[in-house]
Amino acid sequence: MPGAEPYAGHDGAAVLLLVGSGLVIVPALVVYAIRQLVRARTRSQSPSTSRSAYVKSAAGWAWAAAAGVYTWGVLHLFLLDDAAQSRACAKATGTARFTGYEPSYIPLHFGCRTRDGRTVEAVIPAYVNPSALFLTVCAVVLTGFAIAHSRERHPCPDK
């Protein structure tokens, strides 16, 4: 309920959990993508197995990039205390006085409500949400290709 606590921002524990998760997940996905790429490059693999490893590697890179961009946005929240949030809103709204915050995790957003009802983004860079969305769509599509290719090579037995 927005009116109950107008200046309530993102939950600190959730932000810390998201930053910590991102700092673990992104390197793990990069390692996975590199391993798949190395697997694809080995000469002993069949062309079909090699293609599958390339697609899995591309999916891993896309997931790592999406998680990295999102984590980068969350880091902007992590570095803000209450005073910094207030200064960011004052700077973003200019002469308009702000009346509260509008935080969200998906899409990642830290908005400042003004008296005239507008909400102005104050903290998260403008490129974070579109980039994270684009990379997530790419990752989902590539993961779908990898799953479909894997099912072609290893069909399930009839029951």
Side-chain angles (χ1 to χ4, degrees):
M1 188 158 138
E5 292 184 49
Y7 292 100
H10 291 85
D11 180 41
V15 169
L16 184 61
L17 180 65
L18 287 170
V19 168
S21 298
L23 293 175
V24 170
I25 290 170
V26 171
L29 287 167
V30 167
V31 168
Y32 171 81
I34 290 171
R35 290 184 68 190
Q36 290 299 317
L37 196 56
V38 168
R39 182 176 176 206
R41 300 288 301 187
T42 58
R43 301 204 187 280
S44 63
Q45 300 288 334
S46 70
S48 176
T49 304
S50 183
R51 271 193 305 274
S52 177
Y54 278 125
V55 173
K56 287 179 183 178
S57 177
W61 285 114
W63 282 116
V69 168
Y70 187 82
T71 302
W72 176 248
V74 175
L75 275 170
H76 284 79
L77 297 173
F78 181 72
L79 299 174
L80 285 181
D81 60 3
D82 290 339
Q85 289 176 351
S86 180
R87 283 192 304 272
C89 279
K91 182 179 176 184
T93 57
T95 57
R97 296 207 22 181
F98 65 97
T99 60
Y101 304 137
E102 280 193 23
S104 74
Y105 291 101
I106 299 176
L108 192 57
H109 177 69
F110 184 82
C112 305
R113 277 190 313 276
T114 61
R115 285 196 172 161
D116 61 2
R118 293 181 304 125
T119 300
V120 179
E121 178 58 54
V123 178
I124 308 300
Y127 62 84
V128 168
N129 286 315
S131 299
L133 177 63
F134 174 75
L135 290 165
T136 301
V137 169
C138 291
V140 168
V141 168
L142 288 165
T143 301
F145 283 146
I147 291 169
H149 192 268
S150 177
R151 286 190 179 159
E152 284 176 7
R153 288 185 29 233
H154 307 289
C156 294
D158 292 336
K159 293 182 180 179

